[in-house]
Protein backbone atom coordinates (compact mmCIF):
# COMPACT_ATOMS: atom_id res chain seq x y z
CA UNK A 1 0.00 0.00 0.00
CA UNK A 2 1.29 3.45 -0.91
CA UNK A 3 0.01 6.77 0.42
CA UNK A 4 1.37 10.02 -0.99
CA UNK A 5 1.07 13.06 1.27
CA UNK A 6 0.90 16.74 0.47
CA UNK A 7 0.42 18.66 3.71
CA UNK A 8 -0.63 22.29 3.92
CA UNK A 9 1.59 24.65 5.86
CA UNK A 10 -1.20 25.84 8.18
CA UNK A 11 -1.25 24.25 11.66
CA UNK A 12 -5.05 23.84 11.63
CA UNK A 13 -4.93 22.00 8.29
CA UNK A 14 -2.08 19.70 9.33
CA UNK A 15 -3.90 18.78 12.55
CA UNK A 16 -6.79 17.52 10.39
CA UNK A 17 -4.34 15.61 8.17
CA UNK A 18 -2.63 13.97 11.18
CA UNK A 19 -6.05 12.87 12.46
CA UNK A 20 -7.13 11.53 9.05
CA UNK A 21 -3.86 9.62 8.54
CA UNK A 22 -4.27 7.95 11.92
CA UNK A 23 -7.79 6.89 10.91
CA UNK A 24 -6.42 5.39 7.67
CA UNK A 25 -3.62 3.66 9.59
CA UNK A 26 -6.19 1.83 11.71
CA UNK A 27 -7.56 0.14 8.58
CA UNK A 28 -4.25 -0.93 7.04
CA UNK A 29 -3.08 -4.46 7.81
CA UNK A 30 -0.53 -4.81 4.97
CA UNK A 31 2.89 -3.36 4.16
CA UNK A 32 2.44 0.41 3.98
CA UNK A 33 4.72 3.08 2.54
CA UNK A 34 3.71 6.66 3.21
CA UNK A 35 5.78 9.37 1.58
CA UNK A 36 5.69 12.95 0.38
CA UNK A 37 5.63 16.55 1.56
CA UNK A 38 4.60 16.48 5.22
CA UNK A 39 5.52 20.16 5.56
CA UNK A 40 6.86 19.42 9.03
CA UNK A 41 10.18 18.75 10.72
CA UNK A 42 10.52 16.02 13.34
CA UNK A 43 13.42 17.44 15.37
CA UNK A 44 15.20 20.79 15.67
CA UNK A 45 18.13 19.55 13.57
CA UNK A 46 15.76 19.24 10.59
CA UNK A 47 15.89 22.99 9.90
CA UNK A 48 18.57 25.62 9.32
CA UNK A 49 18.01 29.36 9.18
CA UNK A 50 14.88 29.54 11.32
CA UNK A 51 14.14 28.24 14.83
CA UNK A 52 12.00 25.16 15.36
CA UNK A 53 9.37 25.32 18.08
CA UNK A 54 8.37 22.38 20.25
CA UNK A 55 4.75 23.01 19.32
CA UNK A 56 5.29 22.49 15.58
CA UNK A 57 7.23 19.25 16.13
CA UNK A 58 5.03 17.75 18.84
CA UNK A 59 1.86 16.94 16.87
CA UNK A 60 3.71 15.52 13.86
CA UNK A 61 5.98 13.38 16.03
CA UNK A 62 3.00 12.14 18.04
CA UNK A 63 1.17 11.26 14.80
CA UNK A 64 4.16 9.29 13.46
CA UNK A 65 4.56 7.52 16.83
CA UNK A 66 0.83 6.71 17.05
CA UNK A 67 0.89 5.23 13.55
CA UNK A 68 4.05 3.28 14.49
CA UNK A 69 5.90 4.47 11.39
CA UNK A 70 9.65 4.27 10.88
CA UNK A 71 11.57 6.58 8.52
CA UNK A 72 13.13 4.74 5.59
CA UNK A 73 16.89 4.77 5.26
CA UNK A 74 17.79 7.78 3.12
CA UNK A 75 20.53 8.99 0.86
CA UNK A 76 21.05 12.15 -1.12
CA UNK A 77 19.99 15.55 0.17
CA UNK A 78 19.35 15.79 3.90
CA UNK A 79 17.44 19.06 3.65
CA UNK A 80 14.60 18.46 1.21
CA UNK A 81 13.22 21.99 0.91
CA UNK A 82 14.64 25.48 0.56
CA UNK A 83 12.82 28.81 0.43
CA UNK A 84 15.31 29.99 -2.26
CA UNK A 85 15.72 33.40 -0.61
CA UNK A 86 18.98 35.35 -0.48
CA UNK A 87 21.57 33.89 1.87
CA UNK A 88 20.62 36.03 4.91
CA UNK A 89 16.97 34.89 4.76
CA UNK A 90 17.48 31.37 3.43
CA UNK A 91 15.84 28.46 5.24
CA UNK A 92 16.59 24.77 4.69
CA UNK A 93 14.27 22.11 6.08
CA UNK A 94 13.74 18.38 6.02
CA UNK A 95 9.98 18.30 5.49
CA UNK A 96 9.70 15.56 2.86
CA UNK A 97 9.66 12.06 4.31
CA UNK A 98 9.30 8.39 3.48
CA UNK A 99 8.00 6.13 6.27
CA UNK A 100 7.06 2.48 6.52
CA UNK A 101 4.90 0.60 8.99
CA UNK A 102 6.05 -2.55 10.79
CA UNK A 103 4.97 -4.84 7.93
CA UNK A 104 6.82 -2.63 5.45
CA UNK A 105 10.08 -2.69 7.41
CA UNK A 106 9.76 -6.46 7.84
CA UNK A 107 9.01 -7.16 4.14
CA UNK A 108 11.21 -4.49 2.50
CA UNK A 109 14.26 -4.03 4.73
CA UNK A 110 16.64 -2.96 1.99
CA UNK A 111 14.66 -0.04 0.61
CA UNK A 112 16.20 3.42 0.54
CA UNK A 113 14.61 6.76 -0.23
CA UNK A 114 16.89 8.82 -2.45
CA UNK A 115 16.30 12.56 -2.07
CA UNK A 116 17.60 14.16 -5.27
CA UNK A 117 18.81 17.72 -5.81
CA UNK A 118 15.89 20.14 -6.25
CA UNK A 119 15.59 21.48 -9.79
CA UNK A 120 12.47 23.37 -10.81
CA UNK A 121 10.67 22.84 -7.49
CA UNK A 122 11.77 24.03 -4.07
CA UNK A 123 11.52 20.37 -2.93
CA UNK A 124 13.82 17.40 -3.49
CA UNK A 125 12.23 14.70 -5.63
CA UNK A 126 12.06 11.33 -3.84
CA UNK A 127 12.92 8.07 -5.54
CA UNK A 128 12.07 4.91 -3.63
CA UNK A 129 13.37 1.70 -5.17
CA UNK A 130 11.47 -1.30 -3.95
CA UNK A 131 12.65 -4.88 -3.98
CA UNK A 132 12.13 -7.82 -1.70
CA UNK A 133 14.96 -9.82 -0.16
CA UNK A 134 14.58 -13.05 1.69
CA UNK A 135 17.06 -12.14 4.40
CA UNK A 136 18.78 -9.03 5.68
CA UNK A 137 22.06 -10.88 6.08
CA UNK A 138 24.45 -11.47 3.17
CA UNK A 139 25.36 -15.01 2.27
CA UNK A 140 28.15 -16.31 4.50
CA UNK A 141 31.60 -17.06 3.14
CA UNK A 142 32.03 -20.81 2.72
CA UNK A 143 35.67 -21.81 3.12
CA UNK A 144 36.03 -25.55 2.90
CA UNK A 145 38.79 -27.54 4.61
CA UNK A 146 39.58 -29.23 1.30
CA UNK A 147 40.45 -25.78 -0.11
CA UNK A 148 42.78 -25.03 2.79
CA UNK A 149 44.46 -28.45 2.39
CA UNK A 150 45.35 -27.74 -1.25
CA UNK A 151 49.14 -27.47 -1.75
CA UNK A 152 48.90 -24.00 -3.41
CA UNK A 153 46.56 -22.45 -0.82
CA UNK A 154 49.06 -21.27 1.83
CA UNK A 155 51.65 -19.89 -0.66
CA UNK A 156 48.88 -17.98 -2.49
CA UNK A 157 47.58 -16.45 0.76
CA UNK A 158 51.12 -15.46 1.82
CA UNK A 159 51.83 -13.89 -1.59
CA UNK A 160 48.62 -11.85 -1.52
CA UNK A 161 49.13 -10.66 2.08
CA UNK A 162 52.64 -9.44 1.21
CA UNK A 163 51.45 -7.20 -1.65
CA UNK A 164 51.82 -3.45 -1.19
CA UNK A 165 48.54 -1.64 -1.89
CA UNK A 166 48.38 2.16 -2.23
Amino acid sequence: MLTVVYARNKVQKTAILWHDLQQVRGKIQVSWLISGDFNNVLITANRLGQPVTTNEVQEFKQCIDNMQLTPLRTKGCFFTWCNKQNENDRVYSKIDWAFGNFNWTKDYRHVEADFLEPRVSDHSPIIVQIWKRKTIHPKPLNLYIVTMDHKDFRPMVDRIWQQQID
Side-chain angles (χ1 to χ4, degrees), residues 142-154:
N142 292 324
L143 180 60
Y144 300 103
I145 299 294
V146 67
T147 304
M148 295 172 59
D149 287 343
H150 191 277
K151 65 179 179 57
D152 294 333
F153 179 77
R154 184 68 187 183

Side-chain angles (χ1 to χ4, degrees), residues 48-50 82-92:
L48 285 178
Q50 191 178 56
C82 176
N83 66 354
K84 296 190 175 184
Q85 299 295 313
N86 67 43
E87 68 180 70
N88 294 334
D89 298 319
R90 190 164 299 156
V91 176
Y92 293 96

Side-chain angles (χ1 to χ4, degrees), residues 5 19 24 42 46 51 59 89 96-97 131 166:
V5 172
H19 175 267
V24 169
L42 272 173
N46 291 154
E59 285 187 29
D89 298 319
D96 301 283
W97 299 90
W131 67 94
D166 293 328

Side-chain angles (χ1 to χ4, degrees), residues 66-127:
N66 289 346
M67 293 192 300
Q68 298 179 335
L69 297 176
T70 303
L72 267 60
R73 227 171 325 149
T74 62
K75 63 182 182 178
C77 297
F78 177 77
F79 295 108
T80 62
W81 175 85
C82 176
N83 66 354
K84 296 190 175 184
Q85 299 295 313
N86 67 43
E87 68 180 70
N88 294 334
D89 298 319
R90 190 164 299 156
V91 176
Y92 293 96
S93 295
K94 178 167 184 55
I95 59 175
D96 301 283
W97 299 90
F99 298 102
N101 66 356
F102 174 76
N103 287 337
W104 178 271
T105 56
K106 183 180 63 157
D107 294 341
Y108 301 98
R109 291 181 179 116
H110 291 75
V111 174
E112 287 182 332
D114 190 0
F115 291 89
L116 306 177
E117 290 287 330
R119 305 266 174 171
V120 176
S121 173
D122 52 357
H123 290 265
S124 296
I126 308 169
I127 295 178

Side-chain angles (χ1 to χ4, degrees), residues 25-41:
R25 176 8 188 140
K27 297 174 181 157
I28 294 178
Q29 303 299 318
V30 296
S31 298
W32 185 31
L33 171 66
I34 177 170
S35 181
D37 176 6
F38 288 81
N39 223 332
N40 231 123
V41 297

